[in-house]
Amino acid sequence: MMSGEEMKALLLRRARMVEEFLPSCVGGDMPPRLRDSMLYSLQAGGKRLRPVLCLSCAALFGLAESVVLPFAAAIEMIHTYSLIHDDLPAMDDDDLRRGKPSNHKAFDEATAILAGDGLLTDAFGRMTTVDLPASRVLAAVGEMARAAGSTGMVGGQEWDMIYTGMPPVSLDELRRMHAMKTGALLRASCVCGALLAGAESIELQRISRYGAALGVAFQIADDILDVVSDTETLGKPAGSDAEHGKNTYPSLVGLDESRRLAQEQARHAQEAIASFHGPEAEFLRALALYTVTRVA
């Protein structure tokens, strides 16, 4: 069994690997202000959980981190674009992200929109540079496109906008929204790593279940932290969910039940990969627990 400290050490090492690679993902002949805006958000820090999941699920099937790194970094580009756009006045209207002014505050709204557009589009080009069989790369790119698009993250954000300020929605509606907005990208990060490594169909199904449960656990934990934590710890405005009238797990079922549901989903994630053994499987199981015990 991998200890919590061992898990955090590997998480940090892989996150740093991604951090060091990210600057190389923004280059070429573009307006300097656009480059600065893209790098401003891309290098603003964060857990780098999604690329780490991609690296780890590839490593679970024996594929070296260095081979998968461009694809994993591209996932972070997609995640970063979504944060830039989420913070815009037309969306969540947040002025702070990761302890710094949001992109549209540091630059302007038009540049922030274009920086997000650039990161999203360039990400798919970056994915194609992975030196692996084309069939694997194509399958992974397709998986990520579905997760990031209208039936995944983008669609989930639209549901979030629709539900904001509405009377309480049902728990099933909340689950659907979060499965799309947050869960889809987390699940796909896991599946893409396994696809790039050539995992078999039954293995992909288990990894997909792991990622889906992890995504739910992560979102519930985020909802809880927005209530119980503070702005300095979170690096973004605490209490903004309630201020914006958002439907969340705590607002629907309370903090105690939210914590129980988060722990339940973490267990589901661990159970989904119970048949996998070795350090990488232990890391993924420990990471599921960490997801619901983190403080930021």
Side-chain angles (χ1 to χ4, degrees):
M1 175 74 70
M2 179 174 286
S3 71
E5 291 306 311
E6 290 172 325
M7 180 278 299
K8 289 178 185 177
L10 182 53
L11 176 63
L12 181 60
R13 183 179 71 75
R14 285 181 172 155
R16 283 176 176 165
M17 181 186 304
V18 174
E19 292 273 2
E20 292 170 1
F21 187 82
L22 285 174
S24 69
C25 296
V26 178
D29 185 15
M30 70 176 76
R33 184 173 175 81
L34 177 61
R35 179 188 295 107
D36 291 345
S37 179
M38 292 167 70
L39 287 172
Y40 176 82
S41 292
L42 194 61
Q43 296 181 287
K47 293 175 283 294
R48 311 303 189 192
L49 178 61
R50 291 153 189 82
V52 168
L53 284 168
C54 182
L55 293 173
S56 302
C57 287
L60 181 66
F61 298 101
L63 188 58
E65 298 165 336
S66 58
V67 177
V68 191
L69 187 55
F71 199 105
I75 296 174
E76 189 67 12
M77 294 170 72
I78 293 172
H79 176 55
T80 300
Y81 121 78
S82 75
L83 300 181
I84 294 173
H85 283 193
D86 281 359
D87 288 339
L88 288 167
M91 301 280 250
D92 290 349
D93 195 15
D94 281 329
D95 295 343
L96 196 66
R97 171 68 65 177
R98 291 170 174 166
K100 298 168 59 178
S102 299
N103 195 292
H104 68 276
K105 287 294 183 181
F107 294 87
D108 55 69
E109 289 182 37
T111 301
I113 291 169
L114 292 171
D117 293 344
L119 287 167
L120 172 63
T121 309
D122 292 352
F124 286 100
R126 177 65 55 176
M127 289 176 183
T128 65
T129 67
V130 176
D131 187 17
L132 287 167
S135 59
R136 295 187 193 178
V137 177
L138 181 62
V141 169
E143 183 73 28
M144 186 53 60
R146 288 187 292 273
S150 56
T151 59
M153 183 174 64
V154 172
Q157 177 66 13
E158 175 66 10
W159 280 121
D160 191 17
M161 299 296 293
I162 291 168
Y163 292 157
T164 296
M166 283 182 58
V169 300
S170 71
L171 194 55
D172 282 345
E173 288 172 318
L174 186 68
R175 285 171 175 153
R176 175 185 62 175
M177 177 186 79
H178 286 320
M180 296 169 70
K181 180 181 176 180
T182 304
L185 203 63
L186 283 163
R187 185 196 62 78
S189 298
C190 299
V191 172
C192 286
L195 280 168
L196 292 170
E200 299 293 336
S201 176
I202 187 64
E203 296 168 331
L204 290 170
Q205 291 173 28
R206 291 167 182 161
I207 292 298
S208 180
R209 289 199 300 272
Y210 170 85
L214 185 76
V216 176
F218 182 89
Q219 183 59 59
I220 299 174
D222 250 20
D223 285 357
I224 293 170
L225 287 172
D226 189 73
V227 176
V228 304
S229 192
D230 56 74
T231 298
E232 183 178 357
T233 303
L234 292 178
K236 59 183 180 180
S240 62
D241 288 344
E243 182 181 340
H244 292 150
K246 288 187 177 292
N247 281 275
T248 66
Y249 281 89
S251 73
L252 288 188
V253 300
L255 281 172
D256 288 344
E257 178 64 5
S258 295
R259 291 188 178 102
R260 188 194 69 78
L261 288 171
Q263 292 283 348
E264 180 180 74
Q265 289 298 321
R267 287 195 300 273
H268 288 336
Q270 291 175 326
E271 290 164 1
I273 56 170
S275 62
F276 296 121
H277 304 287
E280 295 297 341
E282 291 177 6
F283 170 75
L284 290 170
R285 284 190 283 269
L287 185 60
L289 180 59
Y290 169 72
T291 296
V292 297
T293 57
R294 60 194 169 90
V295 296

